[in-house]
Amino acid sequence: MTQTTSRSSHLKLSPRFQLIAFTLVSSVFATSAMAGDLAVTSVDLTQGAQFGTTTLVGGRPTMVRVKVAVTGQTTSQANVDAVLRVYVGGQQMTGSPFFSRNGPITAPITPNVFNVNDTINFTIVAPVSTDVDFEVVLDPLNKIAESNEANNLFLLSNKVFSCRKTLDIAYVSINYTPGGGQPVAATIEPGIGDAFMRGIYAVAELNYHRSPIGPLNWTTDINSSSTALLSSLQTIRLTTIPAAGYARPEFIYGWLPGNPFSGNGQANSVPGDAAFGNTESTRFQRTFAHEIGHCWGRNHTNNTIATVGFDVEHHLASPLNLGQTHATSQFDVMVAGQLTNVAWVDSGTYLDCLTDTRSQCTAFAPPGGGENPASDAQRVLQISGSYQHQIGRKASRIELFPVNQIDLASPTADDPKGDVLLQSFAAGGDLLSSVRWKSATTRESCAECVNGRPHLHANSAVSILIPATVANQEPARIDLRDLKSGDLLATRTRTASAPHIASLGSRMIDGVEVASHSGIGPFVELFWNATDADGDALSADILLSCDGGQSWSAMGVNQRGSSIKFALSDFPVAQIGQGIVKVRVTDGLNVVDAEMPTSLGDFGPDSSGAKVLHEGSIAGDSNWSNSWLVNAPDIHLISPNASQSYPFGASILLHASGWDLEDQFLADTGFKWTSSIAGAIGTGRQILVSTLNPGTHLITLRGTDSGGSFVEKSVSIIVTARVIFGADINGDNLVNGLDLTAMLANWGGTGVGDLNFDGSVGGSDLTALLSGWTG
């Protein structure tokens, strides 16, 4: 984001900011003459993009870009630098004063903001506040003699940094058996897979983490099963993640290997909560941000971004080595079918995130974000399927998927503009619930127009939540009708016989062809035998409890086979004697469960009547509990980038991502940063460091969970030499009476003689000058 205020609005200065004695000493002590004058023309506060008065977000990294006017001469001016002070509520914030990220620069006669080094840049992270002031002093060491030194101060006052929440997005690695298997883990991990989104959507922090269910097996061609995949992903978000005791994420996203889907990616609706996409190197980062844009509520556009975009943390340096700025001619991320290197964000898409209710700060905030339960949350049934829209003479129909039960969620609100009517009926025919639903939520704008008019996809996802019981009665029949024609689009009737699970067993295996997030064993195969007297097709969800049945996490959803293979390292560690596996089988409306312990406990029938089997294992032990490894947290470096160079004194942003199967969103105290030269340098998920001395530093992040397990990640950066303050005020290579005279002439002021840049010339500056005295 960029906020700009002109110099003319800040000519009247308070005593705190006055440059006393600049004009008295500058002509004598400046070390480099120029023919004209320097002045600040604007200070831009950039968090990705800005369109005039776009909201700034507290806690989000901000680049402060200072544009300098060079007047009275026809050539650029070398050796131009500045110092920045930031005041929050009238008090200088931690880390202030800030030294530039790229100074000194050669200030051009005509600055172009697309060129990173045409402006003097500073990195800050401002807190949430309605009163943030910025004070920029040009040429703070008075190295350049100008015709007017009094205009080297610029103030930008009363800026507002608003509160936005930490947004929770769970991602799922899809084991795509028709081709490709799983995507490469390094491609979809935090800092890479979410890089484009981090750059353009203004939330305070992004808790992008793997889903606790592990990889999702998908056995059918994605081009004929995209809506089924979206339904499965939404079920994971709505049902299985919260059932496991985790915060329900705002969004869920599935990653496919390569790009097997003809449309690159798809969201379940606009707005929506579930999407999937590709891992093709030239487009996967933009596809992720694009599909989440649909989830925010944004349709396709034909827009260019119209203003220069700025990638504050330079997220897109990897893997495509893209620049930090984005030209006005680049496409908005919501223009269909684009590659990562030609897209950024326009105003409408940017604002969709800022104004969406899911990004707003709320009174209740689960650790690391996540949705808040609504006041009408209850046990509901998720009616999902694929709406096959009318094309030519082909009639519309809805293919229903098995009904899922969700323990706590809000029923879908009735939409007066809806075109589909869903009604549920009791066994005796009584109407239990009725809701109108609008099927056109996947309508696209003219990026995919037919004869200039928007159109519907041939197939789109259906997801409607209805009460599981009304007046103690469960639905026995569910009908969906086209409101305009009255045609029945789909019906689901509860059959007389529920499924029967005859047996449930497990064995240890060697891990060959096992889809796993970590690739680390031990590996287990779970198998079951289920039948249905009515001949209904069956599907199963596989659930794991680590606390004796108090909470459940999904190990697999919508399984059409009779076995599943997995790695124990992908799931939370079960408490001793508390591990339980549950297989939940449904014929569409009827649901039955069978359970077994993860240890060699009781054999024989469980509560459902299924025979529990534990077969011999490769390791000679089928007791999962004895095989479980302690899970280490998922730790990733967001910034800085490898081999990045910084001048001495610049604020270096160290930014991490950390999530754990047991702890979830890691607290700030779980992140420790060290330097191979400086040693310990700070604690926190996101910190600014400006004290690193020149040299090549190996920065190491250690992320530790509550159990003491840790992971370390390292990156090498370079700090180059730069003089940011010194006792030799007049630059004659001596510290003597002339320097003391200049300091005393500005005593109590700012600028000349303020050796430690604390905003005032005083005793600490005099001590520093005398300590360097040469006579």
Side-chain angles (χ1 to χ4, degrees):
M1 297 187 282
T2 307
Q3 292 210 356
T4 304
T5 303
S6 65
R7 177 165 59 99
S8 60
S9 63
H10 293 289
L11 293 178
K12 186 175 181 180
L13 306 180
S14 67
R16 184 187 73 180
F17 301 116
Q18 290 176 355
L19 291 175
I20 303 172
F22 248 51
T23 55
L24 295 178
V25 300
S26 60
S27 59
V28 177
F29 299 123
T31 61
S32 176
M34 64 178 291
D37 182 45
L38 298 175
V40 176
T41 57
S42 67
V43 173
D44 299 343
L45 309 180
T46 304
Q47 291 187 332
Q50 170 56 245
F51 310 93
T53 58
T54 307
T55 302
L56 296 161
V57 174
R60 181 170 171 83
T62 304
M63 190 68 73
V64 180
R65 302 190 70 188
V66 177
K67 186 184 292 185
V68 178
V70 179
T71 58
Q73 63 187 50
T74 58
T75 58
S76 300
Q77 178 61 46
N79 206 32
V80 179
D81 214 337
V83 65
L84 169 71
R85 295 183 185 86
V86 182
Y87 298 84
V88 179
Q91 301 298 314
Q92 199 161 182
M93 69 174 285
T94 302
S96 180
F98 297 95
F99 301 103
S100 68
R101 167 70 183 79
N102 61 334
I105 68 167
T106 297
I109 299 296
T110 307
N112 180 353
V113 293
F114 178 75
N115 300 324
V116 174
N117 291 319
D118 276 10
T119 57
I120 305 173
N121 305 324
F122 303 83
T123 303
I124 70 162
V125 181
V128 173
S129 175
T130 58
D131 181 18
V132 182
D133 302 328
F134 296 82
E135 172 189 336
V136 177
V137 177
L138 267 181
D139 189 28
L141 296 180
N142 196 32
K143 289 182 175 295
I144 302 170
E146 308 172 52
S147 60
N148 180 12
E149 299 281 357
N151 62 357
N152 280 19
L153 180 71
F154 186 93
L155 306 180
L156 182 64
S157 302
N158 303 321
K159 307 315 297 180
V160 176
F161 283 75
S162 298
C163 181
R164 290 295 184 275
K165 72 186 298 183
T166 293
L167 188 78
D168 192 328
I169 300 182
Y171 70 89
V172 179
S173 174
I174 298 173
N175 181 37
Y176 187 58
T177 58
Q182 289 191 88
V184 176
T187 300
I188 65 177
E189 69 184 18
I192 301 295
D194 60 345
F196 204 117
M197 179 170 179
R198 285 183 179 273
I200 68 170
Y201 292 135
V203 293
E205 179 59 284
L206 182 59
N207 183 25
Y208 168 80
H209 61 87
R210 64 180 170 111
S211 165
I213 72 160
L216 175 64
N217 294 308
W218 203 252
T219 60
T220 55
D221 185 342
I222 187 60
N223 292 288
S224 60
S225 63
S226 61
T227 53
L229 175 58
L230 289 169
S231 177
S232 294
L233 290 170
Q234 187 184 48
T235 298
I236 293 168
R237 187 189 89 84
L238 291 174
T239 308
T240 56
I241 289 178
Y246 296 90
R248 177 181 289 154
E250 279 79 22
F251 303 124
I252 189 166
Y253 191 84
W255 291 100
L256 288 163
N259 194 7
F261 183 57
S262 61
N264 297 321
Q266 187 175 337
N268 65 336
S269 60
V270 183
D273 59 356
F276 70 84
N278 64 83
T279 48
E280 185 178 341
S281 62
T282 57
R283 66 174 76 242
F284 74 100
Q285 292 167 309
R286 175 229 161 248
T287 298
F288 175 65
H290 175 92
E291 299 305 338
I292 295 299
H294 283 318
C295 290
W296 284 125
R298 187 76 164 158
N299 279 302
H300 284 159
T301 72
N302 279 327
N303 304 338
T304 57
I305 66 175
T307 189
V308 171
F310 200 95
D311 185 357
V312 174
E313 294 184 69
H314 206 177
H315 295 293
L316 295 182
S318 180
L320 297 180
N321 196 30
L322 301 184
Q324 197 166 14
T325 56
H326 295 268
T328 58
S329 59
Q330 287 191 267
F331 295 109
D332 174 45
V333 67
M334 298 310 297
V335 176
Q338 301 304 310
L339 302 179
T340 299
N341 65 344
V342 297
W344 195 240
V345 65
D346 80 344
S347 59
T349 302
Y350 198 95
L351 290 172
D352 265 355
C353 165
L354 275 171
T355 58
D356 194 286
T357 57
R358 290 167 291 186
S359 71
Q360 308 304 304
C361 286
T362 51
F364 170 78
E371 284 189 340
N372 302 324
S375 59
D376 62 345
Q378 57 188 280
R379 189 165 62 93
V380 299
L381 300 179
Q382 181 193 21
I383 314 303
S384 60
S386 175
Y387 194 157
Q388 299 167 12
H389 299 282
Q390 180 177 358
I391 300 176
R393 295 182 179 181
K394 183 180 178 182
S396 298
R397 62 183 293 268
I398 293 176
E399 177 190 356
L400 287 178
F401 305 143
V403 173
N404 294 299
Q405 179 176 290
I406 302 172
D407 291 334
L408 190 64
S410 298
T412 299
D414 182 66
D415 187 347
K417 297 181 179 180
D419 59 314
V420 173
L421 175 67
L422 184 151
Q423 294 178 308
S424 67
F425 301 90
D430 294 338
L431 178 66
L432 297 182
S433 64
S434 178
V435 60
R436 290 168 291 182
W437 174 75
K438 188 176 181 180
S439 68
T441 52
T442 53
R443 186 180 298 273
E444 302 292 356
S445 64
C446 285
E448 292 186 349
C449 283
V450 177
N451 297 324
R453 300 180 62 186
H455 74 288
L456 290 173
H457 288 299
N459 297 283
S460 59
V462 175
S463 180
I464 306 171
L465 306 183
I466 65 171
T469 60
V470 177
N472 296 319
Q473 296 186 87
E474 294 182 329
R477 189 179 91 246
I478 296 168
D479 291 345
L480 291 94
R481 293 185 179 274
D482 185 300
L483 275 170
K484 184 177 181 180
S485 67
D487 292 344
L488 184 66
L489 298 172
T491 188
R492 174 64 53 83
T493 302
R494 190 183 299 273
T495 56
S497 299
H500 172 65
I501 304 174
S503 63
L504 171 62
S506 68
R507 54 176 162 255
M508 306 294 286
I509 58 176
D510 61 8
V512 176
E513 297 183 353
V514 175
S516 169
H517 168 79
S518 64
I520 301 173
F523 303 96
V524 175
E525 181 180 20
L526 185 74
F527 50 91
W528 61 93
N529 181 14
T531 58
D532 186 86
D534 302 309
D536 296 327
L538 303 179
S539 66
D541 291 345
I542 316 304
L543 307 173
L544 169 69
S545 175
C546 298
D547 53 15
Q550 297 181 51
S551 62
W552 297 87
S553 60
M555 307 176 80
V557 296
N558 292 334
Q559 300 294 307
R560 300 304 177 99
S562 58
S563 68
I564 185 173
K565 300 175 182 179
F566 52 88
L568 290 180
S569 56
D570 284 343
F571 301 98
V573 177
Q575 301 171 26
I576 296 176
Q578 298 293 300
I580 305 173
V581 172
K582 177 188 293 184
V583 174
R584 172 170 288 170
V585 177
T586 178
D587 62 5
L589 269 179
N590 295 303
V591 177
V592 295
D593 293 344
E595 297 179 359
M596 64 176 243
T598 61
S599 62
L600 286 174
D602 298 331
F603 283 84
D606 72 352
S607 58
S608 71
K611 184 179 180 182
V612 178
L613 308 172
H614 290 272
E615 298 191 354
S617 67
I618 290 174
D621 180 11
S622 57
N623 182 349
W624 302 7
S625 301
N626 289 347
S627 304
W628 234 301
L629 300 177
V630 175
N631 289 311
D634 293 341
I635 301 298
H636 299 280
L637 280 163
I638 305 302
S639 59
N641 292 315
S643 302
Q644 187 68 57
S645 179
Y646 301 85
F648 173 68
S651 293
I652 302 170
L653 179 65
L654 305 181
H655 191 179
S657 168
W659 189 85
D660 184 71
L661 279 169
E662 288 76 33
D663 297 341
Q664 302 184 58
F665 189 73
L666 290 189
D668 273 1
T669 53
F671 301 92
K672 305 292 185 183
W673 300 86
T674 59
S675 159
S676 57
I677 296 176
I681 51 178
T683 299
R685 177 178 292 265
Q686 181 176 265
I687 65 172
L688 285 173
V689 178
S690 60
T691 57
L692 298 183
N693 287 322
T696 299
H697 294 252
L698 184 67
I699 303 297
T700 299
L701 164 68
R702 173 177 284 198
T704 307
D705 64 18
S706 60
S709 297
F710 65 87
V711 170
E712 290 186 342
K713 295 291 179 72
S714 297
V715 63
S716 181
I717 64 171
I718 301 166
V719 178
T720 59
R722 173 175 62 170
V723 176
I724 56 174
F725 59 84
D728 181 16
I729 295 175
N730 65 357
D732 63 358
N733 296 320
L734 297 173
V735 179
N736 56 24
L738 294 177
D739 302 296
L740 178 61
T741 299
M743 175 178 286
L744 296 177
N746 199 26
W747 194 262
T750 188
V752 173
D754 183 11
L755 303 187
N756 62 2
F757 293 99
D758 65 356
S760 177
V761 179
S764 59
D765 302 301
L766 178 59
T767 300
L769 185 144
L770 294 177
S771 66
W773 193 268
T774 61

